[in-house]
Amino acid sequence: MNTSIKATSSQAPLLAVKDLTVQRRSGESVQAIVSSVNLTVGSGEAIGIVGESGSGKSVTARAIAGLLPRGLRATGSVELDGSELLGLSEREWRRSVRGTEIGLIMQDPFTMLNPIMRCGDIVAESLQPERHRTRRQGREEAVRRLAEVGITDPSVADRYPFQLSGGMRQRVGIAAALARDPRLLIADEPSTALDVTTQRDILALIKRIQAARGMGLILITHDLRVAFSMCDRAYVLYAGSVLEQGPADQLDTAPLHPYSQALLLSEPPIDRRLHKLVSIAGSVPSPDTIPHGCVFGPRCTWAEAACGQAAPALVEVEPGRESACLRILAIRPEMQDQRREIEQPHPPVEPAAGKPVVAVRALSKVYGTGVKACDDVSIEVRANESIGIVGESGSGKTSLARMLVGLEEPTGGSIVIDGIEVTSWQRVKRADRQRIRSTVQIVFQDPYSSLNPMRTVGWTLREAVLTHRPETVDADKEVARLLDEVGLEPNVAQRRPGGLSGGMRQRVAIARALATRPRLLICDESVSALDVSVQAQVLNLLGRLRDERGIGYVFITHDLAVVRQVTERVYVMHRGRVVESGPTDRVIDAPKDPYTAKLLASAPRGDAGWLTEPTAGSGPA
């Protein structure tokens, strides 16, 4: 449990949300996006709101901050220190609540920072008017506020947001959010878009300032490990309803709802390899398809007929702990048994032997600016082997991947794929190029940007099949087979990417890569943008394809927990160089290089000590 001040039964909470419902009107119908949410935040207390995408987390936060978009309407009660906020005009929100009483940090700092304003002006504009009577005083106060969030270089105040790294932009956003000394801070996925080391620095900064100022904190996140390390209590939200609430450390060790348990078991652990990751079948229902009864019922392992009769109320199961599960007392022993069974470690996996499918020797890539993206990089990938390439943004991972598939030209060194020299793709014979395309394929992080939004899934897959295998007689049958192979229904072929969830789009991207029947898939951050449950689904899919097809993988990621689960060997890259490599279990359990140790220490662990322990090389990012 974190040691921040917590509200007690004798104290009125700083924030009290009662029966908050957010509705969207669509034609003649009214759809509830958030349903009767109740929550409290005490002065100095940190609460987490966790759940998958589509659970209503961000909508709840925006309703509390008076920032609902047009078309959405909030009812119920949101009281800040006894004063009702719902029903205030936008002018009243701006004048006396937003910024002064409630600060807001968003996931993408670009949504918070004016791109045509200098950072110092952004912070100065957010200050109370009495804080600066002249422009010079405003800049001096902005510099002081930036120093509070770890930016000690005064010249940053004169730069524009695009001139800063993601971590630095987020620090500027935090300084602006805190400029008027709010009593409540809402942080909506504040570290999701950041590297693991920068994420740790930003979260530690938020926690340190929150504790020093005695602010209330609402942290919105899909990462349970982050929530448990940051928060005193956690609310588990699903399809707009709170399914569980309680102290964070107790929810971590003994969840009281099947959904909470499923989320926990979907998180890949970094300290051991599991036989198989747990994934939740299906997806969060949209507002117009929420079932009668328990909203999680259709995806629940323990659901019975009674669960579909009426939505269960959130009731106290233990002191300070609430659950919205009718069967929790009956199934709790089974949930504990399931967790013990699943968390049993898998024996160490030995690296594959044999001739490499891909051999990279002394590879380098220098861009026109003189930046060395890759510097003397050597790796091997053998048949039916899975390797990891890990490192932060700028380490050279993606440049290496792009050179492997011919999207970038190396400056020096050599690349041999399936016995063919491909260092310069322009010199590769056409027949050899076709053979290599059928040997190695790549799956990118954002499937939406790599799929044509104007074309149906069927059209995209059919094009991939006929391009690489023009002799195919029945392309539609092959499309159906590919969809089935990645766990999608045949009717998905008629849909466009915009109508699919993130997990479904990633499966389509994998299906397109499989159309060439490759021996090796390069997965470039292919699961980093997915919810933990969807991530587990995709990783299990890749594992099944490997067993059935003998496909090898190159996982490019900053997430060592994922690498632990799916690879036999790992290469750690830092500033364009491989600083450590070897069997995955050995590198993670006993790292030799300080940078590898730093990455491991930065991985979310789920306890408060994760944010307070020193990390080598930590500092403003």
Side-chain angles (χ1 to χ4, degrees):
M1 177 87 69
N2 292 338
T3 57
S4 58
I5 306 167
K6 292 169 279 294
T8 66
S9 57
S10 61
Q11 295 176 321
L14 172 65
L15 179 76
V17 177
K18 300 174 184 176
D19 296 322
L20 177 65
T21 296
V22 179
Q23 295 177 323
R24 177 178 65 202
R25 182 173 293 278
S26 178
E28 297 298 320
S29 65
V30 176
Q31 301 163 353
I33 299 174
V34 172
S35 302
S36 300
V37 166
N38 295 278
L39 61 85
T40 61
V41 186
S43 296
E45 183 186 30
I47 71 160
I49 302 179
V50 301
E52 297 169 275
S53 296
S55 291
K57 308 186 300 296
S58 292
V59 172
T60 299
R62 287 181 173 274
I64 293 171
L67 287 171
L68 285 177
R70 287 186 178 182
L72 299 187
R73 177 173 176 267
T75 58
S77 174
V78 176
E79 289 189 354
L80 184 69
D81 203 15
S83 298
E84 180 61 53
L85 302 183
L86 291 190
L88 293 180
S89 67
E90 177 60 22
R91 183 178 181 183
E92 289 171 320
W93 271 105
R94 290 184 178 184
R95 184 177 59 190
S96 58
V97 181
R98 199 183 303 128
T100 56
E101 297 291 330
I102 300 177
L104 187 65
I105 304 171
M106 306 297 288
Q107 174 178 342
D108 182 0
F110 263 127
T111 64
M112 302 166 56
L113 307 179
N114 188 328
I116 62 172
M117 288 181 66
R118 299 180 191 273
C119 293
D121 293 335
I122 291 172
V123 176
E125 185 181 58
S126 304
L127 293 166
Q128 295 280 15
E130 62 270 18
R131 292 276 187 177
H132 59 98
R133 300 183 185 278
T134 67
R135 181 177 177 83
R136 178 180 176 183
Q137 289 175 328
R139 187 184 185 283
E140 290 174 350
E141 182 66 13
V143 168
R144 190 183 73 78
R145 295 295 184 132
L146 289 172
E148 184 184 21
V149 298
I151 300 177
T152 55
D153 180 0
S155 69
V156 173
D158 301 317
R159 299 180 200 169
Y160 293 97
F162 73 87
Q163 295 176 307
L164 305 180
S165 67
M168 291 279 274
R169 283 196 296 267
Q170 194 61 288
R171 289 174 185 268
V172 174
I174 293 170
L178 299 177
R180 294 196 179 188
D181 304 318
R183 291 188 291 165
L184 176 67
L185 182 65
I186 300 175
D188 189 358
E189 300 277 12
S191 62
T192 300
L194 305 175
D195 282 322
V196 63
T197 52
T198 308
Q199 169 185 257
R200 182 180 184 271
D201 290 341
I202 292 298
L203 293 175
L205 169 67
I206 293 172
K207 190 62 186 173
R208 185 168 62 250
I209 293 176
Q210 181 240 340
R213 294 190 177 193
M215 288 187 299
L217 172 66
I218 299 177
L219 176 69
I220 311 291
T221 181
H222 67 271
D223 192 327
L224 293 175
R225 296 169 298 182
V226 166
F228 296 151
S229 64
M230 289 279 287
C231 301
D232 304 298
R233 291 184 297 116
Y235 291 79
V236 181
L237 204 63
Y238 180 81
S241 298
V242 176
L243 299 188
E244 182 174 356
Q245 180 276 136
D249 53 354
Q250 295 180 35
L251 199 152
D252 182 17
T253 55
L256 291 180
H257 196 283
Y259 178 59
S260 306
Q261 167 127 323
L263 280 181
L264 281 164
L265 295 180
S266 297
E267 290 269 15
I270 197 171
D271 60 342
R272 64 197 180 282
R273 185 184 180 114
L274 303 180
H275 288 270
K276 186 179 180 181
L277 290 171
V278 171
S279 61
I280 312 172
S283 58
V284 180
S286 60
D288 56 340
T289 60
I290 290 177
H292 186 69
C294 176
V295 290
F296 186 61
R299 302 175 72 189
C300 183
T301 306
W302 288 282
E304 291 186 345
C307 301
Q309 299 304 310
L314 189 69
V315 298
E316 190 171 69
V317 178
E318 294 178 354
R321 303 195 65 188
E322 298 174 321
S323 174
C325 177
L326 291 174
R327 305 195 61 226
I328 188 59
L329 296 180
I331 67 175
R332 193 174 183 184
E334 296 179 39
M335 288 172 59
Q336 292 170 342
D337 290 342
Q338 181 198 48
R339 187 166 183 176
R340 280 192 292 267
E341 179 183 351
I342 287 171
E343 290 183 344
Q344 289 298 313
H346 190 285
V349 179
E350 292 299 320
K355 186 178 179 181
V357 176
V358 173
V360 175
R361 297 284 181 266
L363 198 69
S364 65
K365 175 64 179 179
V366 181
Y367 290 102
T369 57
V371 174
K372 285 187 177 182
C374 288
D375 184 9
D376 195 29
V377 172
S378 296
I379 68 168
E380 285 187 351
V381 190
R382 302 180 182 94
N384 194 25
E385 181 182 37
S386 183
I387 72 161
I389 301 177
V390 300
E392 299 169 282
S393 295
S395 62
K397 310 185 305 294
T398 296
S399 292
L400 173 59
R402 291 175 64 84
M403 285 187 284
L404 288 176
V405 294
L407 296 176
E408 295 277 1
E409 190 87 358
T411 306
S414 68
I415 302 173
V416 177
I417 298 177
D418 202 16
I420 300 172
E421 173 78 35
V422 295
T423 308
S424 175
W425 280 76
Q426 293 179 350
R427 299 176 185 174
V428 178
K429 297 177 181 178
R430 183 173 181 179
D432 287 341
R433 189 180 299 154
Q434 187 73 13
R435 175 179 155 189
I436 294 165
R437 295 292 188 205
S438 298
T439 301
V440 179
Q441 284 286 303
I442 189 167
V443 180
F444 293 102
Q445 175 178 352
D446 180 10
Y448 193 78
S449 63
S450 62
L451 298 174
N452 189 331
M454 303 304 294
R455 298 292 187 177
T456 65
V457 169
W459 187 94
T460 297
L461 295 181
R462 194 179 304 109
E463 180 191 44
V465 169
L466 294 176
T467 297
H468 295 282
R469 288 183 282 134
E471 74 282 359
T472 303
V473 176
D474 192 340
D476 289 336
K477 183 178 179 180
E478 182 65 8
V479 166
R481 188 190 66 78
L482 286 169
L483 289 172
D484 179 68
E485 199 166 25
V486 298
L488 294 175
E489 296 294 326
N491 59 15
V492 172
Q494 310 305 318
R495 300 167 67 179
R496 289 183 170 84
L500 305 178
S501 68
M504 293 174 74
R505 285 198 291 264
Q506 197 59 282
R507 287 171 183 261
V508 170
I510 294 169
R512 183 176 61 180
L514 293 176
T516 69
R517 299 180 179 174
R519 296 171 60 193
L520 181 71
L521 274 186
I522 300 173
C523 299
D524 187 4
E525 298 281 11
S526 301
V527 296
S528 63
L530 303 177
D531 286 322
V532 288
S533 57
V534 180
Q535 173 182 270
Q537 290 176 6
V538 173
L539 291 177
N540 287 336
L541 164 66
L542 294 173
R544 177 175 61 78
L545 291 172
R546 183 180 179 187
D547 293 338
E548 294 174 357
R549 282 192 169 204
I551 294 176
Y553 295 106
V554 175
F555 279 93
I556 295 177
T557 180
H558 64 268
D559 193 334
L560 283 165
V562 168
V563 166
R564 183 66 177 252
Q565 304 307 314
V566 297
T567 69
E568 295 88 63
R569 289 190 302 116
V570 62
Y571 295 85
V572 181
M573 291 190 68
H574 181 47
R575 295 179 179 175
R577 297 183 66 88
V578 174
V579 297
E580 185 166 0
S581 65
T584 301
D585 293 322
R586 190 183 308 163
V587 169
I588 291 179
D589 290 337
K592 302 297 184 184
D593 191 87
Y595 178 71
T596 309
K598 178 184 175 182
L599 287 180
L600 287 163
S602 299
R605 207 171 55 213
D607 62 85
W610 169 61
L611 293 175
T612 57
E613 294 171 359
T615 300
S618 62

